[in-house]
Amino acid sequence: MIHQLKKLFLLVVLPSLVLMLSLLVGSSQNIGFVELCQRIGLEVGIYIGDHNAVLKDNMDTILWQVRLPRILLTFMVGAALASSGGILQAIFRNPIVDPFTLGISSGSAFGAALAMLFPLLSVNLSAFLFGVCAVGLTYFVSNAGLKTSIVGMVLAGMVISGVFTAMLTLLQYMSDPYKLQAIVQWTMGNLHTASWSKVQQAFLPITIGLGILILLRWKLNLLALGDREAIAVGVNPKILKLVFIAVATLITASAVAAVGVISLFGLIVPHISRMIFGPNNNIIVWANISIGGTFLLLIDDFSRAVMPFEIPIGVFTMIIGAPLFIYLMRRNEINWNS
């Protein structure tokens, strides 16, 4: 009973509370919890307190046009990156793999920078296409005949990532100062430009990818046992791995295309989920979605509240995430072998 309540709190109650309270975080200091409840009551037709006070200033714009789309986009991106990391760590059976091991990050960053310099495609579309291209190149390079080695794919991903990083550096060198600033900000994570249009662009691919992952989540346990065990129960591990890699590519590239590069996040959150819930992927898939979205939202709230100016979210994921991950490693609580 206690275990069920713990899962309910961490997977449902806590994310809901963080989503609601995040509406109170921002540079505007005239929106408190009472004002928020009054405004929500007004939206659903329940008037609480002074009706005129609820409508004052630009509360509507601040809450529903600035903060809410950013909150929703941040939660979706956190869920996508954490879920992608969990997928790759399970199918590669490697605890140090993250969504960017296959070159998705560098490919998407290069695509976005290319669109900023030569606007033939939108930034989001270009980032997505080059992220997919990077994964395709990684698979092509690592495919030796009829067999694709996991180690070979990881090494190929590092090489492809290095190539795209070098080309990104070349684009930065060629760009003018204004565009260079935009490219650098994008490569550090860029949530301050969140809008309803970006939420709409990211919603469909991320939702489809997470939906496929939820439906197939039990098969991750088979892949985590090894190819022989998967074949013994009638599952084709090669096809299944390609499906999961395609899902990871879809949701990661969509997230990176929407907000830029957020380092280390997809590596850390799956380990936190395993530490809390154990190695069962039936639960871990839900945990990565919930904890990933909540954790990135908390980091974003902190980055907005700690300074009068906004610091890129990618900086905070490294500053907060790296010590936490080192602590978990030292405590041996990442639950990889259990």
Side-chain angles (χ1 to χ4, degrees):
M1 181 65 179
I2 296 178
H3 183 64
Q4 295 298 324
L5 290 175
K6 174 184 174 182
K7 287 197 295 185
L8 179 65
F9 176 77
L10 291 176
L11 300 182
V12 179
V13 177
L14 182 60
S16 301
L17 287 174
V18 173
L19 282 167
M20 181 176 178
L21 294 178
S22 295
L23 286 169
L24 303 176
V25 179
S27 58
S28 177
Q29 303 298 322
N30 64 338
I31 301 178
F33 183 75
V34 174
E35 288 79 10
L36 176 62
C37 291
Q38 289 177 335
R39 197 67 190 88
I40 293 175
L42 183 63
E43 289 291 328
V44 299
I46 303 173
Y47 304 125
I48 305 173
D50 185 1
H51 179 267
N52 293 325
V54 176
L55 297 175
K56 67 181 181 180
D57 298 326
N58 296 318
M59 190 181 298
D60 236 12
T61 302
I62 294 171
L63 285 177
W64 313 132
Q65 302 301 322
V66 177
R67 294 185 184 177
L68 185 58
R70 176 168 182 157
I71 290 168
L72 295 178
L73 185 63
T74 302
F75 191 91
M76 285 194 300
V77 168
L81 294 178
S83 298
S84 182
I87 294 172
L88 297 178
Q89 290 174 11
I91 64 175
F92 288 146
R93 303 171 66 192
N94 189 330
I96 63 171
V97 173
D98 71 350
F100 306 128
T101 300
L102 301 183
I104 303 173
S105 171
S106 299
S108 297
F110 173 77
L114 191 64
M116 291 176 188
L117 288 178
F118 309 102
L120 299 177
L121 296 174
S122 68
V123 173
N124 289 352
L125 179 59
S126 180
F128 176 77
L129 291 177
F130 277 93
V132 173
C133 177
V135 175
L137 287 173
T138 298
Y139 181 77
F140 176 77
V141 171
S142 63
N143 190 13
L146 298 176
K147 185 177 181 181
T148 301
S149 167
I150 291 176
V151 175
M153 183 171 283
V154 172
L155 292 176
M158 295 173 62
V159 173
I160 297 301
S161 180
V163 171
F164 276 110
T165 300
M167 292 193 293
L168 174 62
T169 303
L170 181 62
L171 288 180
Q172 290 175 330
Y173 183 78
M174 295 168 54
S175 61
D176 60 70
Y178 177 77
K179 291 182 179 179
L180 175 61
Q181 183 181 12
I183 294 172
V184 171
Q185 285 184 347
W186 192 88
T187 57
M188 292 189 296
N190 191 7
L191 284 168
H192 68 272
T193 59
S195 62
W196 283 115
S197 63
K198 286 194 173 184
V199 172
Q200 292 171 354
Q201 292 170 4
F203 178 78
L204 187 59
I206 290 177
T207 302
I208 291 174
L210 293 180
I212 295 172
L213 175 59
I214 290 170
L215 291 175
L216 300 178
R217 66 188 185 278
W218 63 275
K219 293 187 177 181
L220 281 173
N221 287 333
L222 297 178
L223 293 180
L225 294 175
D227 288 357
R228 291 183 180 179
E229 289 77 4
I231 294 173
V233 296
V235 172
N236 188 327
K238 185 173 182 180
I239 294 178
L240 199 56
K241 286 178 182 178
L242 288 177
V243 170
F244 280 120
I245 290 174
V247 170
T249 302
L250 174 65
I251 60 179
T252 302
S254 300
V256 173
V259 303
V261 180
I262 300 179
S263 304
L264 206 62
F265 192 80
L267 174 66
I268 296 171
V269 175
H271 287 293
I272 296 175
S273 298
R274 277 192 294 271
M275 180 191 73
I276 298 173
F277 294 102
N280 184 1
N281 285 295
N282 277 319
I283 301 297
I284 291 300
V285 166
W286 293 107
N288 285 333
I289 294 173
S290 178
I291 295 176
T294 304
F295 189 37
L296 189 63
L297 193 52
L298 287 172
I299 294 176
D300 184 49
D301 290 343
F302 183 74
S303 70
R304 284 188 287 159
V306 71
M307 294 284 186
F309 54 90
E310 190 167 320
I311 300 176
I313 187 70
V315 175
F316 273 100
T317 56
M318 291 292 279
I319 292 175
I320 297 175
L324 176 61
F325 189 65
I326 292 172
Y327 169 76
L328 296 178
M329 289 181 62
R330 298 294 295 177
R331 288 283 304 270
N332 196 26
E333 291 183 348
I334 59 176
N335 222 339
W336 183 256
N337 295 317
S338 59

